[in-house]
Amino acid sequence: MTPSLLFMYNKTMDYFNRAKKFRAKKRLGQNFLVDEKVINDILSCVNSSDYVFEIGPGLGFVTERLVDVAKDVIAVEIDKDAIKILNNNLADKTNFTLIENDILKVNLDDIYPKDKKIKIIANIPYYITSPILLHLLGEIDDFENKNRHHIDEIILMVQLEVAKRICANENSQNKEYGMLSILSQFFCDTEIIRHVSKRSFYPSPKVDSALVRIKNNNKARIQNPSPLLKRTIKAAFNTRRKNIKNSLLAAGMLNVQDALLKIGMDINTRGEKLSIEDFNKLACALEEFNK
């Protein structure tokens, strides 16, 4: 084993042993990242001029390294036991601030100056991935979302299947593309940086994960979306097995066939085959026939 690999092995074992001493809480979805190689990949996304906002630092394995590579680190953690450890281990770091709170109750506008752009690092419980992304990015019709305006990019650790959904499009496998895809990509570009084995965590989750980059474009995919866009998209994905005509009819929308014919869309097309731009064309047609 080369010296560099030996160092990473020793660090991984140190993280593993520290994590074993902590009683992880299932109700908080705690799975601590203990793989030094993956931690290094996260750190490679950060540079010395970055203002980093970390969600769910846990025991601080990433945080301890972030404070040495970023200009400033602010972390939000809800677990009081983890907070004690973070405060103890990072007490001498002048560029670190810890906030004890639920991320869904934290507004970036209350923390950062109006024009400050930040990089978010997040290893979050999988069961609240969608609510957190919605809180950070806003709905597709929320052009003035104050949290999103602060974000340069998000480096996010999520369940692999969720990562695929975040990055999916109309050409992806049917079950991957959906509301989460459109939410994530309406204002941003997304990509999977790397897959992460379940063995990279302690306690080990039941499934593999992935590291995802969500890059804020500061520009919406649709500049002047139809007021019916969000309703149209939700209708299409709420009944995925139906064709677009029947999905929209099931949602109580009127003059559906007329709208589809106007834009030349096959009534048997399923919503999961429509791009964001396609959905907006359809929404505009529906709006015209339902004035």
Side-chain angles (χ1 to χ4, degrees):
M1 187 178 293
T2 64
S4 60
L5 289 176
L6 180 61
F7 172 79
M8 285 194 290
Y9 173 79
N10 289 336
K11 286 295 292 182
T12 294
M13 289 305 298
D14 177 54
Y15 293 142
F16 178 80
N17 290 329
R18 288 168 62 185
K20 281 188 68 175
K21 293 177 182 178
F22 186 84
R23 182 174 293 178
K25 300 173 180 65
K26 287 186 178 180
R27 64 182 175 82
L28 295 179
Q30 289 178 329
N31 300 97
F32 303 111
L33 179 62
V34 296
D35 189 325
E36 177 73 4
K37 286 185 67 176
V38 181
I39 291 174
N40 285 339
D41 285 340
I42 293 173
L43 294 170
S44 71
C45 299
V46 178
N47 62 56
S48 60
S49 63
D50 284 335
Y51 286 77
V52 171
F53 185 80
E54 187 182 13
I55 300 172
L59 301 181
F61 301 156
V62 176
T63 321
E64 292 166 5
R65 304 279 303 282
L66 277 175
V67 293
D68 291 330
V69 297
K71 185 176 183 66
D72 182 78
V73 179
I74 296 176
V76 58
E77 175 60 58
I78 197 171
D79 182 7
K80 293 183 181 297
D81 294 325
I83 287 168
K84 291 178 183 177
I85 293 172
L86 289 163
N87 279 329
N88 181 65
N89 292 344
L90 293 158
D92 62 336
K93 300 298 182 179
T94 58
N95 65 334
F96 176 70
T97 304
L98 182 61
I99 298 172
E100 180 180 351
N101 209 340
D102 179 345
I103 181 56
L104 297 179
K105 297 178 181 178
V106 174
N107 293 312
L108 299 178
D109 223 30
D110 296 332
I111 300 171
Y112 294 99
K114 184 177 180 180
D115 297 325
K116 179 64 68 180
K117 293 294 184 180
I118 65 170
K119 185 167 291 183
I120 293 180
I121 305 293
N123 179 14
I124 59 180
Y126 299 150
Y127 67 92
I128 57 170
T129 299
S130 293
I132 288 177
L133 285 180
L134 184 61
H135 180 62
L136 295 175
L137 300 177
E139 289 275 12
I140 61 175
D141 56 357
D142 186 4
F143 278 68
E144 301 303 322
N145 185 275
K146 292 183 179 180
N147 283 333
R148 188 182 65 251
H149 286 326
H150 281 288
I151 297 170
D152 175 33
E153 66 179 20
I154 303 171
I155 306 299
L156 180 69
M157 182 74 74
V158 290
Q159 181 179 329
L160 179 58
E161 292 306 311
V162 175
K164 291 178 179 178
R165 287 166 54 201
I166 288 172
C167 298
N169 58 37
E170 67 276 14
N171 298 314
S172 302
Q173 294 182 20
N174 293 345
K175 292 183 180 180
E176 293 177 355
Y177 181 52
M179 285 298 299
L180 183 59
S181 315
I182 292 176
L183 166 67
S184 303
Q185 296 174 40
F186 197 79
F187 295 96
C188 306
D189 289 329
T190 62
E191 65 169 325
I192 294 178
I193 298 173
R194 61 162 293 168
H195 291 194
V196 180
S197 168
K198 57 188 175 184
R199 294 187 296 275
S200 294
F201 299 88
Y202 184 87
S204 178
K206 294 180 180 180
V207 295
D208 288 342
S209 301
L211 197 61
V212 176
R213 175 181 282 108
I214 302 175
K215 178 70 175 178
N216 186 5
N217 288 324
N218 296 306
K219 183 179 179 182
R221 287 272 294 270
I222 307 295
Q223 292 301 299
N224 296 294
S226 164
L228 292 179
L229 177 58
K230 185 164 65 173
R231 184 181 171 192
T232 302
I233 294 170
K234 286 185 175 181
F237 290 120
N238 280 343
T239 51
R240 301 181 70 101
R241 294 185 179 181
K242 294 183 177 181
N243 63 35
I244 189 65
K245 175 186 175 182
N246 290 335
S247 292
L248 295 175
L249 289 173
M253 303 184 85
L254 305 176
N255 303 309
V256 172
Q257 185 158 329
D258 290 334
L260 289 167
L261 289 173
K262 177 179 174 59
I263 62 172
M265 185 175 290
D266 187 342
I267 63 173
N268 292 312
T269 300
R270 289 187 177 183
E272 58 205 14
K273 295 301 181 184
L274 302 182
S275 67
I276 296 174
E277 291 77 10
D278 291 333
F279 274 119
N280 193 58
K281 288 178 184 177
L282 178 54
C284 289
L286 288 165
E287 183 185 357
E288 181 179 337
F289 279 102
N290 289 278
K291 289 181 178 178

